[in-house]
């Protein structure tokens, strides 16, 4: 029951993260299945003092997709869609319950220079060095802009943990019953 609830509530968002990096539906579906199982099997390592639940699972999905890119040696030419294209593709995607996060809305609040760096590093899968080269910026500037963007997004997400309380409560219940 809990595994299917996890899938029903988060698969669309995780698929968007994974697909944006891989640009292959079949590869993305394969990685998504592994990510869902990894989240379920490692839920005990989640620490709400370190990150929110959504941030934790999004990081797992992102890292799994990047690992797949490295494993399959995808080319940088697949990293060409802008953030607006990805947002438009997944605009209608939302969880099946009232628990959701408006990632596109949060990113859209950033100014252009911060949004651009977030786009390259987190949505296109570039390393900070690759983003610096692609944007023709010094690496230090990319790192600073990324740090500032993350700080701004954290401010926008202060209440995120309460949004995901229902799912977290389910997982907590799972471990009490085990």
């Amino acid at each position: 029951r809990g595994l299917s609830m996890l899938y029903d509530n988060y698969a669309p968002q995780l698929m968007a993260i994974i697909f944006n990096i891989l640009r292959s539906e079949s590869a993305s579906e394969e990685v998504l299945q592994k990510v869902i199982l990894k989240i379920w099997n490692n839920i005990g390592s989640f620490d709400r003092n370190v990150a929110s639940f959504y941030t934790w699972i999004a990081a797992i999905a992102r890292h799994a997709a990047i690992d797949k890119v490295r494993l399959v040696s995808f080319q940088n030419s697949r990293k060409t869609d802008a953030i607006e294209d990805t947002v438009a593709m997944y605009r209608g995607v939302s969880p099946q319950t009232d628990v959701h996060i408006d990632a596109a809305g949060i990113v859209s609040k950033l100014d252009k220079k911060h949004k651009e760096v977030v786009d390259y590093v987190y949505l296109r899968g570039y390393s900070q060095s690759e983003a610096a080269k692609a944007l023709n910026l010094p690496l230090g500037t990319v790192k600073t802009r990324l740090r500032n963007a993350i700080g701004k997004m954290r401010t926008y997400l202060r209440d995120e943990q309460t949004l995901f309380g229902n799912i977290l409560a389910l997982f907590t219940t799972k471990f009490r019953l085990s």
Side-chain angles (χ1 to χ4, degrees), residues 149-169:
I150 291 169
K152 289 178 182 187
M153 288 188 293
R154 276 190 184 133
T155 301
Y156 302 141
L157 292 171
R158 271 195 196 124
D159 298 328
E160 178 188 348
Q161 233 169 349
T162 57
L163 294 174
F164 299 102
N166 295 340
I167 298 298
L168 192 55

Side-chain angles (χ1 to χ4, degrees), residues 118-152:
V118 168
D119 179 26
Y120 273 80
V121 174
Y122 288 107
L123 300 176
R124 296 186 192 195
Y126 281 55
S127 69
Q128 291 178 356
S129 298
E130 290 171 332
K133 287 178 188 173
L135 296 169
N136 198 26
L137 293 170
L139 179 58
T141 301
V142 169
K143 289 182 176 198
T144 299
R145 287 182 183 177
L146 194 58
R147 185 181 66 242
N148 291 341
I150 291 169
K152 289 178 182 187

Side-chain angles (χ1 to χ4, degrees), residues 1-177:
R1 176 181 159 211
L3 186 58
S4 67
M5 188 172 179
L6 172 67
Y7 186 88
D8 292 344
N9 286 294
Y10 292 103
Q13 293 85 351
L14 297 176
M15 182 66 165
I17 292 167
I18 295 165
F19 181 81
N20 198 41
I21 293 170
L22 298 180
R23 296 286 172 219
S24 164
E25 193 170 336
S26 61
S28 297
E29 289 172 354
E30 176 186 326
V31 171
L32 176 64
Q33 295 304 318
K34 291 178 182 177
V35 165
I36 294 290
L37 287 173
K38 184 173 185 175
I39 292 167
W40 184 253
N41 291 329
N42 294 298
I43 194 71
S45 67
F46 169 67
D47 182 355
R48 73 175 71 204
N49 296 318
V50 174
S52 68
F53 182 68
Y54 182 80
T55 302
W56 182 68
I57 66 173
I60 292 171
R62 181 176 177 275
H63 290 270
I66 290 171
D67 288 346
K68 180 74 170 179
V69 167
R70 290 179 180 149
L71 178 68
V72 179
S73 301
F74 280 96
Q75 299 174 351
N76 280 346
S77 64
R78 297 204 170 189
K79 301 175 184 175
T80 57
D81 290 344
I83 189 170
E84 290 80 12
D85 298 335
T86 303
V87 169
M89 184 184 314
Y90 290 100
R91 186 171 304 267
V93 174
S94 65
Q96 299 301 314
T97 66
D98 61 351
V99 179
H100 68 281
I101 183 168
D102 181 13
I106 291 167
V107 172
S108 72
K109 292 179 183 180
L110 296 173
D111 57 40
K112 184 180 178 184
K113 66 183 183 181
H114 291 102
K115 188 187 308 183
E116 186 175 55
V117 173
V118 168
D119 179 26
Y120 273 80
V121 174
Y122 288 107
L123 300 176
R124 296 186 192 195
Y126 281 55
S127 69
Q128 291 178 356
S129 298
E130 290 171 332
K133 287 178 188 173
L135 296 169
N136 198 26
L137 293 170
L139 179 58
T141 301
V142 169
K143 289 182 176 198
T144 299
R145 287 182 183 177
L146 194 58
R147 185 181 66 242
N148 291 341
I150 291 169
K152 289 178 182 187
M153 288 188 293
R154 276 190 184 133
T155 301
Y156 302 141
L157 292 171
R158 271 195 196 124
D159 298 328
E160 178 188 348
Q161 233 169 349
T162 57
L163 294 174
F164 299 102
N166 295 340
I167 298 298
L168 192 55
L170 174 69
F171 292 127
T172 304
T173 304
K174 174 195 179 245
F175 285 104
R176 281 192 213 134
L177 299 174

